[in-house]
Amino acid sequence: MDYQQILENIYQEILPYAKEGKQADYIPELAKVNPDQFGMCIHTIYGETASIEQADTRFSIQSISKVFALAMCLSIKGDELWKRVGKEPSGTAFNSLIQLEVEKGVPRNPFINAGALVMTDILLSHLENPEEDFLNFVRAVSNNQTINYNRNVATSERENGYLNAAIVNLLKYHGSIKNDIEDVLHFYFLMCSIEMSCRELSLAFLAFANHRRKFDYEGIRLTSSQVKRMNAIMQTCGFYDEAGEFAYLVGLPGKSGVGGGIVAIHPLLYSVAVWSPRLNSKGNSVMGIKALELLTTETKESIF
Ligand code: DON
């Protein structure tokens, strides 16, 4: 398969969508990013790689960090984790409060903000140095020691994070948060602020694409079955109220972030990352989804 040629063709085909959508501006630091950027990179488990445009530009991974948090929580808690957070798709926005009230503080899944805030609480309770340990894990999976938090982005989100503050308060009211809510918000925003490029993300996610390979990074160990199940959660919950549409159009497990990044996995074949800041109304990258739809269409490689 000539992935380089395929990616170059895809880029030409998605250019008409370059001005569609709007970048996230509820985090003021993210509103400063030039929206007219696009990058894409693929890595196969056999060592092939291809990339186009700004594949090496770092961006705010935002909710993609929830996949790393889930890997750590599963490694620490095993199936006990599912007592504190569900594993069903939500069909609601990533920052919705409605379901959480009805379900009395047990978030529907780990990828909505409420679920990620509970995972943050678990990490704060179990890790010796949460900020350091989380970063070391992401660096180890990525095989890259230069990956870092962007504290300006985290602070900017904290100063405007009224909805997440409401969510964490509701969780605390229901007894779902053990630590101080300020500490939970601080660490949650910090994890979201990690910056990586498409090349770095697709390389890191090879660890999830190949569940037959040993998963052991900085003491975070997952069984082959746990890695496989993380893919199931990405498939059903990775795109919030657009998970069905993404499965229909693209047909791969994945995770998006409001920085405009999307990572998707073809189990036992490849990992691919795309980035473009302009988002659709569900908070997912317009060009990113288009590019991935074309990838699985043109390669005829999809899990369905
Ligand atoms: O909590 C938030 O709102 C952001 N830090 C992350 C949201 C996000 O990336 C949702 N994904 N599409």
Side-chain angles (χ1 to χ4, degrees):
M1 190 78 69
D2 187 348
Y3 287 112
Q4 189 60 42
Q5 190 58 54
I6 290 169
L7 263 52
E8 279 164 24
N9 294 348
I10 288 173
Y11 186 60
Q12 292 311 315
E13 285 189 60
I14 61 172
L15 274 176
Y17 301 92
K19 295 285 178 189
E20 233 176 70
K22 200 170 154 293
Q23 81 203 90
D25 57 5
Y26 73 98
I27 303 170
E29 275 299 302
L30 291 189
K32 295 181 187 165
V33 176
N34 171 9
D36 298 320
Q37 301 190 78
F38 175 84
M40 183 168 190
C41 183
I42 186 167
H43 282 92
T44 70
I45 66 166
Y46 306 109
E48 299 154 277
T49 183
S51 61
I52 49 169
E53 299 298 312
Q54 281 123 303
D56 291 298
T57 305
R58 282 186 174 166
F59 56 89
S60 199
I61 71 167
Q62 291 298 320
S63 286
I64 298 171
S65 64
K66 291 167 180 155
V67 180
F68 297 125
L70 176 59
M72 285 188 102
C73 285
L74 270 179
S75 167
I76 293 166
K77 300 278 283 183
D79 279 346
E80 286 280 297
L81 172 67
W82 306 119
K83 290 187 179 154
R84 299 210 29 206
V85 57
K87 44 175 130 62
E88 294 297 335
S90 68
T92 55
F94 62 88
N95 51 11
S96 172
L97 270 167
I98 298 172
Q99 216 164 45
L100 191 60
E101 182 175 17
V102 175
E103 294 177 357
K104 304 207 175 342
V106 179
R108 189 63 80 86
N109 68 62
F111 291 160
I112 52 172
N113 286 8
L117 287 160
V118 167
M119 291 199 295
T120 307
D121 186 58
I122 291 171
L123 295 179
L124 282 177
S125 297
H126 287 84
L127 298 176
E128 211 151 304
N129 303 297
E131 293 185 17
E132 225 179 286
D133 296 350
F134 184 77
L135 191 58
N136 284 340
F137 168 61
V138 176
R139 285 175 170 175
V141 179
S142 312
N143 192 24
N144 186 330
Q145 291 301 309
T146 70
I147 291 166
N148 222 327
Y149 300 118
N150 181 330
R151 289 179 189 270
N152 290 336
V153 171
T155 306
S156 162
E157 185 164 14
R158 178 63 197 106
E159 285 167 357
N160 297 274
Y162 304 110
L163 205 42
N164 280 311
I167 294 172
V168 85
N169 273 286
L170 190 52
L171 287 166
K172 186 82 180 172
Y173 169 82
H174 284 290
S176 302
I177 295 286
K178 318 283 181 213
N179 293 278
D180 182 85
I181 57 172
E182 275 308 320
D183 294 345
V184 174
L185 285 173
H186 172 83
F187 185 37
Y188 167 74
F189 292 137
L190 203 58
M191 290 192 284
C192 289
S193 82
I194 283 193
E195 294 184 330
M196 291 171 75
S197 67
C198 288
R199 190 180 309 282
E200 290 162 348
L201 269 174
S202 70
L203 197 60
F205 271 63
L206 272 184
F208 302 110
N210 190 355
H211 62 269
R212 291 186 186 147
R213 193 170 73 174
K214 189 169 164 201
F215 193 107
D216 184 351
Y217 303 91
E218 284 287 307
I220 300 303
R221 293 183 198 93
L222 296 177
T223 64
S224 145
S225 208
Q226 283 173 317
V227 174
K228 189 187 71 181
R229 287 172 179 158
M230 285 196 49
N231 280 283
I233 309 275
M234 281 193 254
Q235 180 75 53
T236 51
C237 311
F239 299 86
Y240 314 105
D241 41 350
E242 206 175 21
E245 184 75 4
F246 190 83
Y248 180 81
L249 292 175
V250 180
L252 297 174
K255 185 74 207 78
S256 61
V258 292
I262 303 177
V263 197
I265 284 165
H266 190 304
L268 298 178
L269 189 51
Y270 64 70
S271 160
V272 59
V274 286
W275 167 62
S276 187
R278 290 183 193 270
L279 310 177
N280 63 21
S281 60
K282 312 277 188 187
N284 299 317
S285 171
V286 174
M287 282 179 104
I289 290 185
K290 240 350 204 201
L292 293 173
E293 178 189 355
L294 288 168
L295 179 69
T296 51
T297 304
E298 293 193 10
T299 57
K300 299 192 175 65
E301 289 171 347
S302 149
I303 62 170
F304 298 111

